[in-house]
């Protein structure tokens, strides 16, 4: 897995001050995507052990609320497989940090995704570690710069823990 960028003090992609990891690779290709350079799975740098160690160190201070996963597309199957061991490590070493994730796929209440091509052996396990999921493709015609933590009005901000196993999606209130 490659990554496009890491922001160690980000306030735009979730509540509080966060570390944001922008993975490489996305098959959605949304019109006017803010990060189209990261569509290419080979873009950026390899997600190495040294990179992971650096992110863990950046997450450690008390003023950092947590980690945000963006892209590209974190839920492309090859990215899920690359992210899962790292996210398990984050939750093991820094259990109080929240994890936000942005995906163009849509959430299903059993912890999977509505688009079958995105589901793989890592999906439900990875989803179980995510606290807040912003789902849905960016739609240029629904863009609204007044929206908090999302780019277009079709996107939902989901409380994953409260939604898994529920018959309906529980929205996260910000």
């Amino acid at each position: 897995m490659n990554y496009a960028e890491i922001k160690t003090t980000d306030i735009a992609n979730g509540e509080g001050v966060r570390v944001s990891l922008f993975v490489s690779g996305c098959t959605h290709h949304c019109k006017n995507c803010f990060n189209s350079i990261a569509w290419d799975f080979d873009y950026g740098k390899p997600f190495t052990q040294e990179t992971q160690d650096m992110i863990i160190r950046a997450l450690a201070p008390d003023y950092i609320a947590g980690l945000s996963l963006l892209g590209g597309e974190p839920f492309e199957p090859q990215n899920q497989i690359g992210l899962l061991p790292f996210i398990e490590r984050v939750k093991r070493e820094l259990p109080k940090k929240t994890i936000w994730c942005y995906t163009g796929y849509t959430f299903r209440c059993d912890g999977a995704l509505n688009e079958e091509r995105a589901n793989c052996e890592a999906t439900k396990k990875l989803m179980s570690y995510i606290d807040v999921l912003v789902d849905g493709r960016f739609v240029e015609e629904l863009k609204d710069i007044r929206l908090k933590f999302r780019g277009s009005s079709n996107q939902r901000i989901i409380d994953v823990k409260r939604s898994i196993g529920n018959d309906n999606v529980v929205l996260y209130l910000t």
Side-chain angles (χ1 to χ4, degrees), residues 4 16-17 21-22 26 34 39 41 43 62 64 69 78 82 84 102 104 121 139 146 152 155-156 163 172:
V17 180
L21 169 63
F22 293 79
C26 182
F34 82 100
W39 290 352
F41 286 89
Y43 179 76
D62 288 341
I64 299 291
L69 305 170
Q78 56 267 51
L84 181 57
Y102 288 74
E121 66 273 11
V139 177
R146 297 168 297 175
S152 57
Q155 295 172 312
R156 303 176 295 177
S163 295
Y172 183 82

Side-chain angles (χ1 to χ4, degrees), residues 70-90:
L70 305 96
E73 172 58 70
F75 273 97
E76 294 290 356
Q78 56 267 51
N79 288 338
Q80 292 181 54
I81 292 165
L83 284 170
L84 181 57
F86 174 64
I87 297 307
E88 289 174 327
R89 179 182 174 197
V90 170

Side-chain angles (χ1 to χ4, degrees), residues 31-137:
K31 176 182 170 187
N32 290 327
C33 170
F34 82 100
N35 202 16
S36 59
I37 196 162
W39 290 352
D40 182 349
F41 286 89
D42 295 322
Y43 179 76
K45 300 175 185 173
F47 191 61
T48 64
Q49 185 64 45
E50 291 78 22
T51 305
Q52 295 175 38
D53 293 344
M54 183 275 294
I55 293 172
I56 292 290
R57 285 190 303 274
L59 283 166
D62 288 341
Y63 67 88
I64 299 291
L67 176 67
S68 292
L69 305 170
L70 305 96
E73 172 58 70
F75 273 97
E76 294 290 356
Q78 56 267 51
N79 288 338
Q80 292 181 54
I81 292 165
L83 284 170
L84 181 57
F86 174 64
I87 297 307
E88 289 174 327
R89 179 182 174 197
V90 170
K91 282 299 191 179
R92 184 175 57 252
E93 294 183 23
L94 301 160
K96 293 183 179 175
K97 303 296 180 176
T98 59
I99 297 181
W100 281 53
C101 183
Y102 288 74
T103 181
Y105 294 109
T106 53
F107 175 79
R108 212 168 64 194
C109 292
D110 66 352
L113 298 163
N114 280 326
E115 297 83 349
E116 285 306 316
R117 70 183 176 90
N119 292 307
C120 69
E121 66 273 11
T123 306
K124 287 187 179 185
K125 184 81 169 169
L126 182 59
M127 192 71 75
S128 75
Y129 291 113
I130 294 170
D131 297 291
V132 178
L133 183 74
V134 180
D135 82 338
R137 295 176 84 165

